[in-house]
Amino acid sequence: MTTTRSGPAGLRSFLFAPGNHARRVEKVFLSGADAVILDLEDAVPIAEKESTRALVVSAMRRPRRAAAYIRINSFESRWCLADLEAVAGPWIDGIVLPKTESAEQVRAISMRLSERERAADMKAGSLEILPIVETAKGVEAVSAIAAAGPRVRRIALGGADYTHDLDLVWTPGEEALGYARARIAHASRVAGLDPPVDTVVLEINDPERFRQSARNGRMHGFAGKLCIHPDQVALCHEVFSPSADEIAFARRVIEAFQAAEAAGSASIQVEGRFVDYPMVDKSRRVVALGERIAAGRLAVVSN
């Protein structure tokens, strides 16, 4: 049986902003990102973590065009559950859970979200959980995390903490991330999730470094990327969006195959490329993504 999972689909860019900086919060909503993540974790000083909760809820209640998430503090921190109690509600699409290391953590957060949904008279399961896997323990547990429940629609990789945890050298080629990317992509596919979200790039003034990182993620089956600066959003969309030529070719593949199938053939050539059912399925995904991008997203008016 297929489980219906919560949360918006087809997201490419997830842009962070520290929840305690009003100007950055304002800019993040104007960036053109598919999703915004207001942060209560690493970007917020300890002295301001509690006071920032009300600020991010106030920001999320305003009209917006992007999907909206709040990154709470990690499950093991003393702020995590109080964060959930303060910020979970109909004004967001989901919660980002950093440093996720087990399915048990995800299920515990899901139970708390169910309580918040009942208190707010929300539909059960409305709020997504987006786990960020950023430790060796999290990577090894990623299959269980991916299967932890229907609130998990996609998983993200946190490259900075992951390379720190293992004392890896994070070079421009990103060889150190290959194992984690492969594990996350496979786990996501097996669990029936949306494709995963790739790591941030710390070099905010190096667009080519970002492009290369995004291409590396795309090559490993990731469909979007975490961003830490508004200038990275357009670069992200450049890599994770099909080009006009790719969409046009995909349409030609679909049309040609439909005609061939009607004539009794399920394997043909289109412009020198072999085409069968897997190729047609991939072409349909390309067209569907292109149509979602072209249609844009309806403005979300929060309660």
Side-chain angles (χ1 to χ4, degrees):
M1 182 177 69
T2 301
T3 301
T4 301
R5 295 186 177 269
S6 60
L11 305 179
R12 301 158 295 171
S13 54
F14 294 74
L15 179 59
F16 282 102
N20 62 325
H21 281 268
R23 289 184 62 186
R24 294 187 188 180
V25 168
E26 183 179 357
K27 288 178 67 175
V28 77
F29 286 107
L30 301 174
S31 67
D34 290 339
V36 301
I37 303 173
L38 298 189
D39 196 19
L40 296 176
E41 197 213 12
D42 287 345
V44 178
I46 290 175
E48 298 183 36
K49 286 187 181 291
E50 294 181 6
S51 61
T52 300
R53 294 167 183 156
L55 298 178
V56 296
V57 170
S58 177
M60 290 302 194
R61 286 179 177 274
R62 300 171 195 154
R64 51 181 168 77
R65 295 190 63 84
Y69 298 80
I70 294 175
R71 179 166 71 169
I72 61 174
N73 285 278
S74 66
F75 187 81
E76 302 296 340
S77 75
R78 68 178 188 265
W79 302 284
C80 177
L81 298 183
D83 285 345
L84 272 183
E85 191 71 21
V87 306
W91 41 83
I92 56 173
D93 293 292
I95 291 292
V96 175
L97 182 62
K99 299 178 179 65
T100 307
E101 294 189 325
S102 71
E104 289 74 20
Q105 292 177 349
V106 174
R107 287 193 283 267
I109 295 298
S110 181
M111 289 179 61
R112 294 289 182 135
L113 290 180
S114 293
E115 294 172 3
R116 295 299 302 146
E117 288 167 345
R118 286 193 294 270
D121 198 26
M122 298 173 62
K123 180 181 177 182
S126 298
L127 295 171
E128 179 185 349
I129 298 174
L130 172 53
I132 306 183
V133 172
E134 36 193 335
T135 63
K137 186 175 181 180
V139 168
E140 293 307 315
V142 71
S143 293
I145 291 168
R151 291 189 191 275
V152 178
R153 180 156 193 166
R154 71 205 100 215
I155 294 175
L157 168 64
D161 281 282
Y162 174 71
T163 53
H164 173 71
D165 184 43
L166 288 167
D167 198 22
L168 304 176
V169 180
W170 193 355
T171 63
E174 298 188 327
E175 295 85 356
L177 300 182
Y179 175 76
R181 280 173 166 151
R183 285 293 303 265
I184 292 170
H186 279 78
S188 298
R189 180 59 181 154
V190 170
L193 307 186
D194 285 358
V197 184
D198 199 31
T199 180
V200 302
V201 171
L202 302 179
E203 293 78 10
I204 59 177
N205 295 319
D206 189 345
E208 192 48 45
R209 175 75 180 260
F210 185 93
R211 285 191 182 95
Q212 184 57 52
S213 179
R215 293 186 193 111
N216 291 341
R218 180 68 190 91
M219 180 176 63
H220 280 84
F222 287 63
K225 200 160 180 65
L226 302 173
C227 302
I228 55 174
H229 192 279
D231 289 348
Q232 294 178 334
V233 171
L235 301 173
C236 181
H237 293 177
E238 174 186 316
V239 174
F240 289 104
S241 302
S243 68
D245 287 345
E246 289 171 329
I247 295 171
F249 177 72
R251 291 187 186 280
R252 293 196 295 273
V253 165
I254 294 168
E255 291 171 1
F257 191 82
Q258 288 175 338
E261 191 177 36
S265 177
S267 60
I268 60 173
Q269 290 188 36
V270 177
E271 300 175 21
R273 296 187 65 178
F274 177 78
V275 173
D276 59 1
Y277 284 109
M279 181 65 175
V280 175
D281 182 59
K282 183 174 182 179
S283 296
R284 287 179 175 139
R285 292 203 302 267
V286 169
V287 171
L289 177 57
E291 289 176 346
R292 285 199 300 270
I293 293 168
R297 303 194 182 280
L298 296 176
V300 178
V301 180
S302 299
N303 294 332

